[in-house]
Amino acid sequence: MDTVRGIGVSPGRSLGPLVRTTPAAPEPRRERVADADRDAAADSIAVAAEAVSDELRRAGQTVSGTGKEILETTAQMATDPALVGPAQAKVRDEGLAPARAVWEAASDVAATFASIGGYLAGRVRDVEDVRDRIIAELTGAGMPGVPLRAEPFVLLADDLAPADTALLDPEHVRAILTRGGGPTSHTAILARSLGIPAVVALGRAAQVLRDGVDVLVDGTSGVVVVDPDAAGRASVRPRRAARPFDGVGRTSDGHRVELLANVGDAATARDAAAAGAEGVGLFRTEFAFANAEVEPSLEAQVAAYLPVFASFAGRKVVIRTLDAGADKPLPFLTGESEANPALGVRGLRTSWEHPDVLDRQLAAIAAAAGRAEADVWVMAPMVATVEETDAFVAACARHGLERAGVMVEIPAAALLAGPILARASFASLGTNDLVQYTMAADRMLGDVARLTTAWQPAVLRLVEATCLGGAQQARPVGVCGEAAADPALACVLLGLGASSLSMGSRALGDVAAALARTSLDECRRLARIATDAESAEAARALVLAEVDWADELG
């Protein structure tokens, strides 16, 4: 048996024949059109782009939450004038055939994104996906992506486009393997939300995987076994439904810990409420306006917030102000030319030039809170200094929003947690970005994926520093990053001092089960083991060796 190893990003074991994604059509030849046909050929690009966009939007109506947001964003990119306009110009000015013109225009956009680096470099895959879809529409070739097959299978891809991950069917895709990607890529996040085992960053090791051959995928350890023996096959359990959650998070000795949900819209909020979430730990407001070319009106914002608040009447809802910038650009708020968007004007920093946008959002949040029964807390993303905290808390107070907090995503904020929380009412650790900025590793880049895990002891020590700052000021510190969805890591985070954990709603049952089997003192002991380890791999292995429920919870 051949065995290869990547990074496990979605737990569980699964078995099935290997199937590769349908490849995109090859690079079109540099053919030309007759002068008399140039206008019609140029127009065909816009028609094809609209067709692709419409199909993605229709697909978006069949899913909810993160999948819906991804499809709508990709649909918008398909008709982006920055892509369609230059492609049409290449037809009209140079006489290039439409398919070739789209290829060259998209290559220019992708090259620009790659040269900028950071989050925009991570969106090169999105540009290539849109390019391939438009070319397939123009030429009549098969649409690239996840194939349609009658029997279940294990899917192998270089790195799935976001639009593909959004349409994955857990009944047919038993597991996902990718050569690239990382723990916080779209593929990883969607796989976890769907309960599909996944291993990413296989790299060249994927060369031993052969079409049609059964592979055993362990999404916890990151191990993939080709043509496993009888014992390996017997170790695979049927895919189970999400573990139920009774709505009360507690350790085995009765210590209460709030188990909350991350949501992006009314649909995900309803799903989270149905799953028993005690409240919302992160309401991502920018997802409601991902396709907005202009700032949404106050009324439009109130209409977007009210259904989420209504789903959690009488319970806490932590709403984050617009986290625009980097991989989430908003035309009315963010610039277009930054050398490194991940380190640029994003999150709360957009209020430096656009304080009116933040002011109107706070007014909308206050208006919606006044018409709902939820306990509304407000937090700002990408806070780095005490001065920024002061300014945000004061802005919230002007609108009658008394629970004003900050996200801790930057090491500077973790190290200054004491004075920051002397001003703010609470803090929430965004572990995805905290990992990225601590390890100097782009969380969208597969080549450094092994660094981008919240098990890194350096990251855990920053979590501990933040929680200590909260304890000094008697302020709660929660976790709303992907780390909270890992049952073992959830115990460590609680042991480090976290007061609440927020995650995708599917993870609530497993995290609750792990906490219910572990005492608070044991969580603290596990936290010490993890922070004293010398590597992420050692931290994780040592903690898992200490608990008796690791196999049961996958």
Side-chain angles (χ1 to χ4, degrees):
M1 297 180 294
D2 285 323
T3 299
V4 296
R5 183 181 294 274
I7 297 176
V9 295
S10 184
R13 281 189 172 190
S14 196
L15 176 74
L18 188 80
V19 173
R20 300 172 192 267
T21 50
T22 302
E27 178 179 347
R29 291 184 296 176
R30 217 166 191 277
E31 297 176 337
R32 298 185 178 275
V33 296
D35 291 350
D37 297 333
R38 289 188 181 190
D39 285 341
D43 290 343
S44 72
I45 293 175
V47 172
E50 285 290 349
V52 168
S53 181
D54 289 346
E55 179 59 31
L56 290 168
R57 291 185 195 281
R58 281 194 294 272
Q61 299 305 311
T62 67
V63 295
S64 63
T66 305
K68 181 181 180 69
E69 295 149 12
I70 289 172
L71 288 166
E72 289 180 345
T73 300
T74 308
Q76 182 184 25
M77 181 178 285
T79 54
D80 193 325
L83 172 61
V84 176
Q88 290 181 306
K90 287 178 179 292
V91 175
R92 291 194 173 100
D93 299 342
E94 303 175 35
L96 286 181
R100 181 67 195 188
V102 169
W103 179 278
E104 293 191 5
S107 296
D108 291 341
V109 174
T112 300
F113 281 10
S115 66
I116 291 173
Y119 282 105
L120 283 182
R123 298 196 71 184
V124 168
R125 182 69 186 91
D126 302 51
V127 176
E128 293 172 344
D129 178 45
V130 166
R131 174 200 69 193
D132 295 341
R133 290 173 184 273
I134 295 175
I135 291 175
E137 184 69 26
L138 285 167
T139 61
M143 198 61 69
V146 180
L148 298 176
R149 298 176 69 94
E151 71 282 359
F153 58 91
V154 171
L155 183 68
L156 172 64
D158 287 338
D159 188 15
L160 286 172
D164 291 327
T165 62
L167 290 171
L168 291 176
D169 180 358
E171 296 302 317
H172 284 86
V173 181
R174 286 182 170 170
I176 302 169
L177 306 174
T178 65
R179 294 183 182 85
T184 57
S185 64
H186 289 299
T187 301
I189 293 170
L190 262 295
R192 283 192 291 269
S193 71
L194 293 170
I196 301 175
V199 176
V200 302
L202 285 167
R204 294 178 181 174
Q207 293 175 352
V208 305
L209 304 177
R210 301 182 300 279
D211 289 354
V213 175
D214 280 350
V215 290
L216 171 63
V217 178
D218 189 326
T220 302
S221 66
V223 172
V224 180
V225 181
V226 180
D227 194 16
D229 57 19
R233 292 171 184 269
S235 71
V236 177
R237 303 170 186 172
R239 180 178 176 271
R240 61 175 174 82
R243 188 183 299 272
F245 172 47
D246 66 6
V248 181
R250 62 176 82 79
T251 59
S252 62
D253 53 343
H255 177 77
R256 283 283 286 117
V257 52
E258 288 183 306
L259 296 185
L260 311 169
N262 298 336
V263 306
D265 57 15
T268 48
R270 288 192 297 269
D271 291 345
E278 298 185 59
V280 173
L282 172 60
F283 176 9
R284 303 177 173 101
T285 58
E286 65 278 358
F287 286 170
F289 308 112
N291 296 319
E293 294 293 330
V294 297
E295 179 190 353
S297 67
L298 187 144
E299 293 76 16
Q301 294 191 54
V302 171
Y305 307 151
L306 269 174
V308 176
F309 295 168
S311 290
F312 288 91
R315 289 177 282 178
K316 179 169 74 174
V317 175
V318 181
I319 183 170
R320 180 175 69 187
T321 56
L322 290 171
D323 189 17
D327 63 334
K328 293 172 283 188
L330 291 177
F332 60 86
L333 195 56
T334 54
E336 298 181 356
S337 57
E338 289 184 335
N340 191 339
L343 301 180
V345 179
R346 58 171 298 205
L348 183 62
R349 297 173 184 179
T350 60
S351 67
W352 298 347
E353 292 296 325
H354 301 283
D356 52 326
V357 174
L358 175 62
D359 190 67
R360 279 188 289 272
Q361 183 174 28
L362 294 176
I365 293 170
R371 292 167 54 185
E373 298 178 6
D375 179 16
V376 178
W377 298 23
V378 188
M379 66 180 176
M382 288 295 290
V383 171
T385 68
V386 174
E387 292 81 2
E388 289 173 342
T389 307
D390 268 327
F392 181 71
V393 170
C396 289
R398 288 194 293 272
H399 292 280
L401 297 167
E402 298 180 357
R403 288 283 197 171
V406 300
M407 285 196 74
V408 175
E409 305 164 276
I410 302 172
L415 296 173
L416 286 175
I420 283 177
L421 285 167
R423 279 81 170 173
S425 297
F426 67 97
S428 187
L429 285 147
T431 52
N432 295 351
D433 270 326
L434 185 61
V435 169
Q436 171 174 244
Y437 294 129
T438 301
M439 303 307 296
D442 187 335
R443 63 191 182 102
M444 303 300 290
L445 186 60
D447 290 345
V448 294
R450 297 183 185 281
L451 295 174
T452 55
T453 167
W455 281 101
Q456 292 288 355
V459 174
L460 296 177
R461 293 183 187 190
L462 288 173
V463 171
E464 183 176 35
T466 305
C467 293
L468 287 173
Q472 290 171 3
Q473 306 297 339
R475 304 292 199 193
V477 175
V479 179
C480 65
E482 288 298 315
D486 179 332
L489 192 49
C491 292
V492 169
L493 294 169
L494 179 61
L496 292 173
S499 58
S500 64
L501 302 170
S502 190
M503 63 205 74
S505 57
R506 185 181 174 85
L508 288 166
D510 284 346
V511 171
L515 293 173
R517 299 267 294 269
T518 314
S519 69
L520 179 59
D521 282 344
E522 182 68 1
C523 288
R524 288 170 174 160
R525 188 177 74 85
L526 296 175
R528 196 75 277 132
I529 289 172
T531 53
D532 288 344
E534 295 183 356
S535 70
E537 294 78 10
R540 183 175 180 278
L542 290 168
V543 167
L544 288 176
E546 294 292 320
V547 299
D548 60 6
W549 41 256
D551 288 340
E552 178 184 338
L553 297 182

